[in-house]
Amino acid sequence: TLKDQGDADKVADDMEAWLDNNTDKLTMDGLFGIIDPPRQDVKDAIAQTQAAGIQVKMITGDHPRTASVIARDIGIENHENTMTGKELDAIHEDKDFIDKIRGVAVAVFARVSPENKLQIVRAFQDSGDVVAMTGDGVNDAPALNGADIGVAMGIRGTEVAKEASDMILTDDSFGTIVDAVREGRIIFENIKKYISFLFACNMVEIVAILTTIVFMLPIPIQPLHILFLNLLVDIGPAIALAYEKAEANVMEHPPRNPESGLVNKTFLSRIIISGVVIGLGAFGVFYLFHNIFGMSLTYAQTATFTYMAVAQLFHILNVRRLNGFGLDKTFFQNKLLLAAIAFSVVLQLMVVYVPFLNIVFGTEPLTLATWGIILAIVLVVTIIVYLVKKLAGLKNPEA
């Protein structure tokens, strides 16, 4: 009767030694092999995971050579570097336990006990890694419970493993974990886009008003214009950004630092720079129509108000792609965003050209020439914001 993994290892070693010394006494009658091949989709899923900067480790009770071959077949990096439970037991008390594991880039842990699995999980956690552990058996429960994210198999997994886990895979597919990582990254990036867009739009209004105060000019837009921009023009496109599809490289950059917050230095600087550039454009429109062209204050405010609405809608093109420009073939795939932009444009045109709304909002109809000037300035500031973002992206592509 085998009491533990140590007994199993001893039996295997004794059998191997006996065969080495007694092969001349045996007669080969036949050979029978058993293989449990990996799923066809596992290799592709492993490749995507490693491309995303996620280390994949195999922890198994199988023989080291067997585990190494399977690891090779599914594409795990450094599959030839293995470590057994006995070796782990010999070094796990050392302070540099995790350094020894990393030093030889161990990818396969074989002949391990439940205690060894938990030791491995805690070692990587102590070094600052976020650890996800998958398993299906009772012997996986300690590591599943100790990991940052325990993932149990829903079909062949034991009830103990499911209870110890944070998530359960209903299809027992490693590819589902990759899909979950991908979806999580999409959600996080879309949250950043939503916040970036709204904060930048608010910065536009702040910069425009502060600049006119500094130059002791009349206020460039009325309070009701600000409410209209924030509550009607901006909010629809901002919500639609939450439905953006994944960017092409979403699974090609390493995981973000768990210690860094949503709004980091680079992210905040982009918002401020975008708001300042577009806001200075708003001041330029107001100064141009009121002080240079000599138009009435109401007309200049209407032009500035309209510029802000159009510039902020154009700013979506810089927000849709974290390090690129959003006017591509995917732009027309987000139907909700297109509808939100169209709705905002219609509302802005109504405020400018419907007589009743002219009275309510204090606006005047704009000429075609005014629209041409507004669109020209909008294009210039949009390009400037893109160039600044592109330059920042080259310096810090992970921001």
Side-chain angles (χ1 to χ4, degrees):
T1 301
L2 303 180
K3 296 181 179 179
D4 53 32
Q5 189 65 52
D7 285 352
D9 291 339
K10 185 176 185 304
V11 170
D13 292 340
D14 290 345
M15 289 179 64
E16 187 173 357
W18 187 89
L19 288 172
D20 289 340
N21 297 324
N22 296 276
T23 52
D24 57 333
K25 302 177 182 179
L26 299 176
T27 300
M28 174 66 72
D29 285 337
L31 185 65
F32 184 81
I34 300 175
I35 185 172
D36 183 11
R39 294 186 179 187
Q40 295 296 322
D41 62 333
V42 172
K43 188 172 184 178
D44 181 60
I46 292 291
Q48 291 184 53
T49 305
Q50 293 176 155
I54 302 172
Q55 298 181 47
V56 180
K57 308 294 183 183
M58 177 185 288
I59 306 176
T60 178
D62 291 337
H63 191 278
R65 279 178 287 182
T66 303
S68 180
V69 170
I70 295 297
R72 180 200 63 195
D73 291 344
I74 62 178
I76 294 180
E77 297 174 351
N78 303 313
H79 59 83
E80 67 279 359
N81 298 335
T82 64
M83 182 174 287
T84 65
K86 286 183 179 180
E87 293 171 324
L88 284 170
D89 290 333
I91 66 171
H92 85 273
E93 295 292 344
D94 297 350
K95 294 181 180 179
D96 57 349
F97 172 54
I98 188 62
D99 294 330
K100 290 182 178 179
I101 294 176
R102 290 188 184 279
V104 293
V106 178
V108 178
F109 299 90
R111 294 294 193 211
V112 294
S113 64
E115 184 182 7
N116 292 144
K117 295 179 180 181
L118 183 58
Q119 290 167 357
I120 296 168
V121 168
R122 287 178 174 171
F124 281 103
Q125 288 176 324
D126 291 342
S127 67
D129 292 318
V130 176
V131 180
M133 174 72 185
T134 65
D136 57 7
V138 175
N139 59 347
D140 296 317
L144 288 169
N145 186 61
D148 296 288
I149 306 172
V151 184
M153 304 298 147
I155 299 176
R156 66 176 183 271
T158 63
E159 291 302 318
V160 174
K162 295 177 184 178
E163 288 293 333
S165 300
D166 302 291
M167 298 173 61
I168 299 175
L169 294 180
T170 57
D171 58 0
D172 285 12
S173 173
F174 186 84
T176 303
I177 300 177
V178 180
D179 293 339
V181 172
R182 177 185 175 86
E183 192 65 27
R185 290 189 174 190
I186 295 172
I187 292 172
F188 185 78
E189 288 187 354
N190 286 349
I191 291 174
K192 290 178 67 175
K193 294 172 184 177
Y194 173 90
I195 294 176
S196 176
F197 177 71
L198 286 184
F199 278 28
C201 291
N202 289 330
M203 279 293 300
V204 171
E205 298 151 7
I206 294 171
V207 170
I209 294 173
L210 287 179
T211 309
T212 54
I213 292 175
V214 170
F215 287 92
M216 293 182 291
L217 296 174
I219 187 170
I221 54 174
Q222 299 180 24
L224 194 56
H225 297 167
I226 297 175
L227 289 174
F228 185 85
L229 288 170
N230 291 339
L231 297 180
L232 295 178
V233 174
D234 296 338
I235 195 66
I239 293 175
L241 286 172
Y243 295 88
E244 279 293 305
K245 301 295 184 181
E247 296 195 26
N249 64 341
V250 69
M251 291 296 287
E252 297 176 5
H253 57 77
R256 64 184 180 86
N257 186 348
E259 300 297 327
S260 65
L262 174 65
V263 182
N264 54 34
K265 182 179 178 181
T266 303
F267 181 69
L268 187 60
S269 65
R270 288 186 182 183
I271 293 174
I272 294 175
I273 292 173
S274 300
V276 169
V277 172
I278 301 173
L280 290 177
F283 171 75
V285 170
F286 179 76
Y287 187 83
L288 183 66
F289 283 97
H290 186 257
N291 292 71
I292 296 180
F293 293 163
M295 306 299 290
S296 67
L297 178 60
T298 301
Y299 192 92
Q301 288 178 335
T302 304
T304 305
F305 171 40
T306 302
Y307 161 84
M308 286 185 177
V310 176
Q312 290 171 185
L313 292 177
F314 266 75
H315 185 56
I316 291 174
L317 299 177
N318 278 316
V319 173
R320 284 191 68 244
R321 293 291 174 261
L322 296 179
N323 290 311
F325 197 62
L327 189 58
D328 53 24
K329 62 182 180 180
T330 64
F331 179 73
F332 300 97
Q333 295 177 0
N334 190 342
K335 305 300 183 184
L336 184 61
L337 179 61
L338 294 176
I341 293 174
F343 182 69
S344 297
V345 171
V346 170
L347 287 177
Q348 186 64 31
L349 291 174
M350 290 176 62
V351 169
V352 173
Y353 291 106
V354 175
F356 169 73
L357 294 178
N358 288 155
I359 298 174
V360 174
F361 286 90
T363 57
E364 291 183 12
L366 300 177
T367 65
L368 188 60
T370 299
W371 275 102
I373 295 173
I374 290 174
L375 290 175
I377 297 176
V378 166
L379 289 175
V380 171
V381 299
T382 301
I383 292 172
I384 292 174
V385 170
Y386 168 71
L387 293 176
V388 172
K389 183 183 73 169
K390 194 69 176 177
L391 181 61
L394 291 175
K395 293 181 178 179
N396 188 9
E398 298 177 13

